[in-house]
Amino acid sequence: MKKNITDFRVVSNEMLSSRLFLMKLTPADGSALAATHPGQFAELRVDQEPKVFLRRPISIHRVLPAQNEIWLLVQKAGNGTNHLATLKAGDVMNMVYPLGNGYTLPSAGSKAKVLLVGGGVGIAPILETGAVLKEMGCEVTYLLGGRTATDLVEIDEYRAIGEVLVTTEDGSTIEGLDCQKGFVTNHTRLQSGSFNYIKVCGPGPMMKAVAKAVAEWPEMNEVERFLELSLENKMACGLGVCLCCVEDTKEGHKCVCSDGPVFDVKDLKW
């Protein structure tokens, strides 16, 4: 898929929680958005911040062709993302996109039951993934995990696409949702084995725990591309050049930014 280096104008930039903010962007020159695939990411240039030299990799959160907007859900984690949080409507930011390989999609019209699991800022790429799957005729269920209910943002956006299940470490709840205390692996629906495909993004320990839980399902070895994980290795260039994001797989070392970030669990040395 062709990579584009494009200036984007900030449509809005809103803090959704103490750490997460939502950037809505549109091409500054009015051109149409480039085609993207669920699970891909972008590299954002951070201007006017002397302590930041490299672009920041951010998952593509939502793509709305009708509005010609792309949404990015970003977590404040350092100088780069803290600066991005200060951008105002009308500001211009340069972005390289789309990068990486996203999630494998079932055949159109398959009516597959798909579980999308997200923890922390890992909820970002699965919003667009679910929207695309729904358009294909799939039955989408989200399982979102956070430390508290306030960590889980944009719930209405997820509910507009599919069923939403929630776990919180402190037991806090969100009205109208199936909320259970603990980690995503503690949710009874994850243990049920009632899905055809599972796609996950979040912290490494969480994804390893999900993989372990799903491996106990008897159907695990019967479905091709059953469980896919979006890795969050540190990425600098986004093009597979700097080699700082290398993951040791069963086929040797691979760059998460160019060979991934999405990998079939069967290919990982987990």
Side-chain angles (χ1 to χ4, degrees):
M1 188 173 287
K2 180 181 178 181
K3 301 172 181 61
N4 298 267
I5 303 176
T6 305
D7 284 336
F8 277 82
R9 177 174 54 82
V10 178
V11 175
S12 64
N13 196 11
E14 177 186 2
M15 290 298 306
L16 301 181
S17 70
S18 60
R19 298 183 302 154
L20 296 174
F21 60 97
L22 175 64
M23 303 180 68
K24 297 182 180 181
L25 307 163
T26 191
D29 62 0
S31 60
L33 292 171
T36 63
H37 187 85
Q40 290 185 302
F41 68 99
E43 286 273 0
L44 281 58
R45 193 175 70 201
V46 182
D47 294 325
Q48 299 177 341
E49 175 46 74
K51 295 181 181 179
V52 178
F53 300 97
L54 301 172
R55 292 177 182 261
R56 291 297 184 263
I58 305 295
S59 295
I60 294 174
H61 182 47
R62 193 74 169 92
V63 180
L64 299 174
Q67 292 97 314
N68 207 32
E69 286 184 2
I70 189 168
W71 295 5
L72 304 176
L73 182 64
V74 188
Q75 179 174 282
K76 295 172 68 175
N79 292 321
T81 49
N82 285 338
H83 180 76
L84 292 173
T86 68
L87 296 181
K88 303 291 192 298
D91 288 344
V92 175
M93 179 196 64
N94 187 267
M95 189 164 79
V96 181
Y97 83 115
L99 296 170
N101 295 301
Y103 294 106
T104 302
L105 301 178
S107 301
S110 67
K111 297 184 179 181
K113 294 183 178 180
V114 185
L115 178 65
L116 302 175
V117 186
V121 76
I123 67 175
I126 63 173
L127 179 63
E128 174 68 8
T129 303
V132 173
L133 288 168
K134 181 181 179 181
E135 290 179 358
M136 297 175 62
C138 296
E139 181 181 322
V140 176
T141 299
Y142 288 107
L143 174 54
L144 310 177
R147 288 180 294 182
T148 72
T150 57
D151 291 330
L152 301 174
V153 298
E154 294 188 288
I155 292 299
D156 287 344
E157 295 288 343
Y158 294 88
R159 293 178 77 171
I161 296 169
E163 180 185 14
V164 178
L165 314 173
V166 166
T167 63
T168 57
E169 295 176 31
D170 67 351
S172 55
T173 61
I174 299 174
E175 185 177 356
L177 296 184
D178 182 345
C179 301
Q180 298 183 18
K181 184 177 181 179
F183 303 112
V184 292
T185 48
N186 300 129
H187 200 286
T188 53
R189 290 285 293 281
L190 179 65
Q191 301 166 4
S192 70
S194 59
F195 299 95
N196 303 118
Y197 299 89
I198 296 185
K199 302 181 185 298
V200 190
C201 184
M206 182 210 82
M207 293 198 292
K208 289 181 180 180
V210 171
K212 182 178 179 181
V214 174
E216 298 176 358
W217 294 6
E219 302 95 334
M220 179 61 190
N221 296 321
E222 299 176 9
V223 183
E224 185 181 4
R225 311 292 291 184
F226 186 91
L227 174 60
E228 290 185 315
L229 311 168
S230 180
L231 303 190
E232 294 187 326
N233 296 31
K234 290 184 178 180
M235 295 182 282
C237 71
L239 302 171
V241 176
C242 69
L243 304 181
C244 76
C245 66
V246 167
E247 179 78 14
D248 189 13
T249 74
K250 294 178 181 178
E251 297 180 352
H253 291 100
K254 291 189 175 183
C255 291
V256 170
C257 68
S258 55
D259 296 310
V262 175
F263 290 88
D264 188 313
V265 69
K266 297 189 294 293
D267 297 333
L268 298 173
K269 287 187 174 181
W270 285 12

